[in-house]
Amino acid sequence: KSSPVVNLSEDIFAGYNVRMREEGSPHIDFLEFEKGREATFNAASNFFSKISGGSISVIRSRDNHLLCERVGILHSLSFYFASVSFYVSNLLVDISIYLYVILFINFSLAGIGPGQLAAL
């Protein structure tokens, strides 16, 4: 049976296995031209939900726990900032935008302008 969830992050788990066996893996960058993606909002939203679902499965995996036990603090921090911290920072940006808009509306309704706020 085909499932959109089973093989979602197989390249990440392959990298985990290589790292846990303390082996090397060559990495080659190349450009692929004329590979188009859909540019609609729904297509982008579906793509990001697929990526975040794969990231959640990576974060919750047993391989993640075993890998973080064997690496030092610098590798653990880089792994944290490349995985969990990305979503935490996006959440904080979203919350700060909502807070800014709510405060702007409240100050506008109260008749307080930028000049009066600067005098505080």
Side-chain angles (χ1 to χ4, degrees):
K1 293 182 179 181
S2 65
S3 172
V5 180
V6 171
N7 296 322
L8 194 58
S9 299
E10 70 271 2
D11 52 346
I12 303 293
F13 289 113
Y16 281 179
N17 288 332
V18 168
R19 177 71 180 174
M20 284 190 285
R21 287 182 300 207
E22 297 178 359
E23 296 176 357
S25 174
H27 178 77
I28 301 169
D29 284 331
F30 63 93
L31 295 174
E32 193 168 320
F33 294 103
E34 296 182 9
K35 181 181 179 187
R37 296 226 184 253
E38 297 171 302
T40 63
F41 180 75
N42 288 335
S45 178
N46 289 337
F47 177 71
F48 284 131
S49 68
K50 178 182 175 183
I51 296 297
S52 63
S55 296
I56 293 300
S57 67
V58 167
I59 291 168
R60 293 178 54 196
S61 72
R62 181 175 174 265
D63 293 335
N64 183 21
H65 177 68
L66 292 174
L67 184 67
C68 288
E69 282 182 344
R70 296 180 184 177
V71 297
I73 186 70
L74 293 178
H75 289 290
S76 294
L77 285 175
S78 68
F79 181 73
Y80 170 72
F81 285 112
S83 59
V84 179
S85 180
F86 174 75
Y87 298 104
V88 172
S89 66
N90 280 342
L91 177 67
L92 291 176
V93 167
D94 288 345
I95 290 172
S96 65
I97 289 172
Y98 283 122
L99 182 64
Y100 174 77
V101 169
I102 289 170
L103 284 174
F104 185 78
I105 290 172
N106 285 337
F107 286 143
S108 296
L109 291 176
I112 299 173
Q116 294 169 336
L117 287 175
L120 293 177

